[in-house]
């Protein structure tokens, strides 16, 4: 009788523990964790100031994380390190570029502000030249009021307004002097033979303080004043700028109304 022969069973090889392999994977795992921590730190710093750099670091993190996936276990750590280094270099370059751009913008803004200040100074100087040498006798009433307002603005007044016209109650120019006082000016564009009389002065004196709340009141004319008008102005504390005082103020050789040391009892006409 024939006895069947059993096929010999081939023993399956058992997994053999390897210290070298285990150590190698521990090193890979440690480097991966360190790289991930560094990447997260760089990402946190970059995300606050440089969004583009943060995006690049995120890509690097994804690349390093992909290296730890089972499908890429054989990828060498040097490749991940090179990728991380490349990403960090890109992030650094982006940070430098952003800083240079910010510096350029700041420089441009400073230059623009300096140019604006220079233009404003040039405009102010142009106004100075414009009001010098003006023949106020050739101006009409409104132009004369505007010329006096320009003088006030030129010499440092703020909130200068031309308010002359019907119902102005004696005030033609309102302004705030450089020392903070409220200035009320009445402009009298008269010919050389037509002097400012006491009635003109009385009408202005009745409104400049009570209605317009002036802290400094002045009458500026292209002519002169009668003696009764000067006496009334002395009593009320109103400054009187005649044609000569106006020309001196315009040329810069004489004081502005708020620079005149004047009080009740002093001469009303500015010399």
């Amino acid at each position: 009788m024939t006895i069947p022969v059993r096929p010999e069973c081939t023993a399956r090889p058992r997994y053999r523990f390897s210290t070298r392999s285990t150590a190698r994977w521990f090193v890979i795992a440690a480097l991966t964790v360190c790289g991930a921590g560094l990447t997260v730190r760089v990402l946190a710093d970059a995300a606050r100031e440089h969004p583009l750099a943060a995006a690049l670091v995120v890509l690097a993190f994804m690349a390093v994380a992909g290296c730890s996936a089972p499908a890429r276990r054989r990828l060498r750590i040097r490749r991940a390190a090179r990728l991380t280094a490349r990403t960090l270099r890109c992030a650094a370059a982006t940070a430098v570029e952003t800083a240079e751009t910010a510096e350029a913008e700041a420089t441009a803004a400073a230059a623009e502000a300096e140019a604006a200040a220079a233009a404003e100074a040039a405009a102010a100087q142009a106004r100075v030249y414009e009001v010098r040498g003006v023949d106020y006798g050739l101006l009409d009433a409104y132009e004369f009021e505007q010329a006096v307002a320009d003088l006030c603005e030129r010499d440092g007044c703020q909130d200068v307004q031309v308010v002359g016209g019907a119902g102005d109650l004696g005030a033609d120019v309102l302004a705030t002097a450089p020392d903070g006082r409220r200035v009320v000016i009445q402009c009298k564009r008269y010919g050389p033979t037509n002097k400012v009389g006491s009635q003109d002065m009385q009408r202005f004196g009745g409104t400049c303080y009570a209605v317009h709340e002036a802290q400094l009141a002045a009458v500026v004319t292209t002519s002169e004043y009668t003696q009764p008008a000067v006496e009334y102005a002395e009593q009320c504390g109103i400054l009187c700028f005649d044609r000569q005082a106006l020309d001196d103020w315009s040329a810069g050789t004489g004081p502005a109304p708020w620079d005149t040391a004047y009080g009740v009892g002093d001469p009303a006409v500015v010399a």
Side-chain angles (χ1 to χ4, degrees), residues 25 41 52 120 139 143 210 237:
W25 289 112
R41 182 176 179 180
L52 180 58
E120 184 176 355
L139 305 179
E143 290 173 341

Side-chain angles (χ1 to χ4, degrees), residues 3-264:
I3 299 176
V5 180
R6 292 183 178 180
E8 295 182 1
C9 296
T10 303
R12 300 177 60 183
R14 295 183 178 180
Y15 174 76
R16 299 180 64 182
F17 177 78
S18 174
T19 304
R20 179 181 300 175
S21 177
T22 303
R24 181 181 62 188
W25 289 112
F26 269 115
V27 170
I28 293 175
L31 291 176
T32 301
V33 172
C34 291
L38 178 61
T39 303
V40 170
R41 182 176 179 180
V42 172
L43 177 61
D45 293 337
R48 287 192 295 268
E49 299 180 359
H50 311 292
L52 180 58
L56 293 175
V57 174
V58 169
L59 293 177
F61 176 77
M62 293 176 61
V64 174
C67 292
S68 62
R72 298 189 176 182
R73 289 180 179 178
R74 297 182 181 275
L75 187 63
R76 295 182 180 276
I77 193 63
R78 288 182 300 178
R79 182 177 177 183
R82 285 196 301 268
L83 180 58
T84 302
R86 189 183 304 114
T87 302
L88 293 177
R89 284 196 299 269
C90 292
T94 303
V96 171
E97 182 180 356
T98 303
E100 291 177 351
T101 302
E103 183 179 359
E105 291 178 353
T107 303
E112 184 177 354
E114 184 177 356
E120 184 176 355
Q125 188 64 31
R127 288 196 297 270
V128 170
Y129 292 135
E130 182 179 357
V131 296
R132 286 181 178 177
V134 174
D135 188 350
Y136 295 101
L138 300 178
L139 305 179
D140 60 26
Y142 176 77
E143 290 173 341
F144 179 54
E145 294 171 1
Q146 186 61 54
V148 173
D150 290 342
L151 284 172
C152 294
E153 188 174 9
R154 181 199 72 179
D155 290 346
C157 286
Q158 302 293 325
D159 304 323
V160 181
Q161 303 177 55
V162 177
V163 296
D168 59 13
L169 298 177
D172 294 319
V173 177
L174 302 178
T176 302
D179 58 10
R181 288 181 294 172
R182 180 174 175 80
V183 179
V184 179
I185 299 176
Q186 185 179 64
C187 301
K188 291 295 184 182
R189 192 273 182 200
Y190 284 171
T193 59
N194 186 14
K195 296 183 179 182
V196 178
S198 61
Q199 292 184 351
D200 296 326
M201 195 66 67
Q202 289 172 20
R203 283 193 291 268
F204 180 61
T207 60
C208 61
Y209 294 112
V211 176
H212 301 293
E213 300 180 348
Q215 295 173 297
L216 188 151
V219 177
V220 180
T221 183
T222 55
S223 181
E224 296 179 350
Y225 299 88
T226 64
Q227 187 58 34
V230 173
E231 293 175 356
Y232 179 84
E234 290 178 353
Q235 296 174 2
C236 296
I238 299 174
L239 286 171
C240 297
F241 267 55
D242 59 12
R243 177 60 184 267
Q244 184 60 50
L246 174 61
D247 288 340
D248 292 342
W249 177 22
S250 176
T253 57
W258 48 89
D259 293 329
T260 302
Y262 173 75
V264 177

